């Protein structure tokens, strides 16, 4: 299990690319399972890391993952979409 110290250390170039790919794959699996809230959360994390990459590093990420992250998922999770609503406790009791 990673310690807090491990989380604070910056990732190396290769580890950063692997982490971005892993997060995109996790987001895609949540998408396939119709778990939109978890998908949105993982996609946001992946995008944060992806935006820190250089153009050369971005080229090392498989094209299928890049397309899903940047274009396909933008259709469903972009800023132009209505944000998800939180269910109230009253509607959950019914």
């Amino acid at each position: 299990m990673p310690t807090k110290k491990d989380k604070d250390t910056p990732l190396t170039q290769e580890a950063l690319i692997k982490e971005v790919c892993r997060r995109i794959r996790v987001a895609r699996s949540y998408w396939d399972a119709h778990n939109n809230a978890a998908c949105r959360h993982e996609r946001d994390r992946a995008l944060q890391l992806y935006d820190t990459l250089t153009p050369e590093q971005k080229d090392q990420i498989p094209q299928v993952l890049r397309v899903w992250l940047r274009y396909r998922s933008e259709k469903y999770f972009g800023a132009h979409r209505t944000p998800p609503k939180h269910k109230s406790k009253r509607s959950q009791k019914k």
Side-chain angles (χ1 to χ4, degrees):
M1 178 180 249
T3 62
K4 185 176 180 183
K5 186 177 180 183
D6 293 339
K7 291 180 183 178
D8 293 339
T9 55
L11 298 171
T12 64
Q13 178 179 347
E14 189 174 314
L16 183 60
I17 293 168
K18 282 185 177 184
E19 182 65 12
V20 171
C21 291
R22 185 188 73 79
R23 290 203 181 268
I24 296 171
R25 287 186 179 104
V26 169
R28 284 177 52 185
S29 69
Y30 284 140
W31 174 260
D32 291 341
H34 303 285
N35 189 345
N36 289 343
C39 177
R40 179 184 298 268
H41 185 68
E42 276 301 321
R43 180 187 170 274
D44 289 344
R45 287 178 170 180
L47 264 177
Q48 280 182 324
L49 290 175
Y50 182 82
D51 289 339
T52 64
L53 298 175
T54 64
E56 294 81 23
Q57 291 171 323
K58 289 178 182 179
D59 287 340
Q60 294 179 20
I61 295 176
Q63 184 177 5
V64 172
L65 298 180
R66 282 185 284 163
V67 168
W68 188 89
L69 180 67
R70 290 305 238 174
Y71 302 106
R72 182 167 180 254
S73 62
E74 189 66 29
K75 176 180 176 182
Y76 299 99
F77 297 117
H80 67 285
R81 300 292 295 189
T82 305
K85 294 183 179 179
H86 297 289
K87 293 182 180 179
S88 68
K89 290 186 179 184
R90 286 186 181 180
S91 65
Q92 289 177 350
K93 288 181 181 179
K94 290 182 180 180

